[in-house]
Amino acid sequence: MTLLKIAQIGEPVLRERARELTAAELASEETQRFIDDLVETMRDANGAGLAAIQVYRPVRICAIEVHDNPRYPYKPNVPLTILVNPVIEPLSDELFDNYEGCLSVPNLRGVVRRRAEVRVTGLLRDGSAFDRQVRGVTAGTFQHEVDHLDGVIFVDRVSDPRTLCTWEAFRRHHEAAFAERVRALVSRFGS
Ligand code: NI
């Protein structure tokens, strides 16, 4: 497997709209190898998710996985999920404030308002249908990744720039309060 280079904010590829994959493309050995590399790269960087566009390949694939993540210790675990051609629709009007970071945005975090309950449809890497309701902080993770496929980075959605902070300042000044809010969400939604 190969670790891929992660594009950093300012790279034009991050602003493209990634294109859909055909069933044949998805099934190809080359794409399947690429997905293995995408997962490896996400894990190596301790990401909770990584979109293909972030490794200079503007197709609609993203990986999501949270397993006792040291970058996001308060995030509930999410089993490895590969989303292909995903579509997100809201299931309610409820919003919550999510403190986000991104492997393409070095050392910066900020508060993004996300949908608390969404339905995600699309394909899995084997071409089978994916259709799941996702809630709470995990719903925020899915929305962040699918945003990448439309050339949107979390900083675009930070409504109050005063929430922007480094990772160290987050840990020092914001993590305790945010982790408390996450616990409340997790106790309601289980995710
Ligand atoms: Ni990101």
Side-chain angles (χ1 to χ4, degrees):
M1 268 179 271
T2 313
L3 290 179
L4 306 168
K5 183 175 176 191
I6 300 176
Q8 300 293 287
I9 188 166
E11 291 288 335
V13 69
L14 292 171
R15 297 311 193 172
E16 288 179 30
R17 184 194 179 276
R19 63 171 182 83
E20 274 81 10
L21 270 97
T22 65
E25 259 182 304
L26 175 58
S28 76
E29 214 173 287
E30 203 276 325
T31 301
Q32 293 294 319
R33 247 198 325 268
F34 167 74
I35 291 172
D36 290 338
D37 292 342
L38 184 72
V39 171
E40 197 65 14
T41 304
M42 171 181 70
R43 288 175 173 164
D44 180 73
N46 287 322
L50 188 62
I53 201 167
Q54 290 179 272
V55 292
Y56 298 84
R57 188 163 168 143
V59 294
R60 299 183 89 77
I61 301 178
C62 55
I64 292 170
E65 182 182 48
V66 181
H67 181 77
D68 301 336
N69 190 311
R71 245 167 91 90
Y72 304 99
Y74 46 81
K75 273 196 195 219
N77 285 341
V78 181
L80 176 64
T81 307
I82 308 297
L83 289 176
V84 180
N85 301 341
V87 175
I88 288 188
E89 46 186 305
L91 286 172
S92 73
D93 291 332
E94 185 175 346
L95 303 169
F96 75 102
D97 284 336
N98 200 25
Y99 238 115
E100 300 193 8
C102 179
L103 294 176
S104 292
V105 183
N107 202 20
L108 195 69
R109 309 196 60 163
V111 172
V112 179
R113 192 147 281 190
R114 294 291 187 189
R115 297 269 181 189
E117 303 181 274
V118 296
R119 177 182 179 199
V120 186
T121 53
L123 302 175
L124 295 173
R125 68 182 293 176
D126 65 359
S128 65
F130 178 89
D131 185 345
R132 196 176 300 166
Q133 300 188 1
V134 189
R135 297 185 162 79
V137 193
T138 306
T141 303
F142 276 71
Q143 287 163 81
H144 176 117
E145 293 313 321
V146 174
D147 265 355
H148 275 302
L149 307 183
D150 292 319
V152 175
I153 303 175
F154 84 90
V155 290
D156 308 349
R157 296 199 187 274
V158 170
S159 46
D160 182 354
R162 289 172 300 184
T163 64
L164 291 170
C165 62
T166 64
W167 282 71
E168 191 192 342
F170 174 76
R171 271 189 293 271
R172 218 185 264 177
H173 303 291
H174 304 286
E175 184 165 3
F178 181 60
E180 193 56 46
R181 295 214 306 274
V182 169
R183 273 191 289 276
L185 275 174
V186 171
S187 68
R188 274 183 60 210
F189 294 120
S191 58

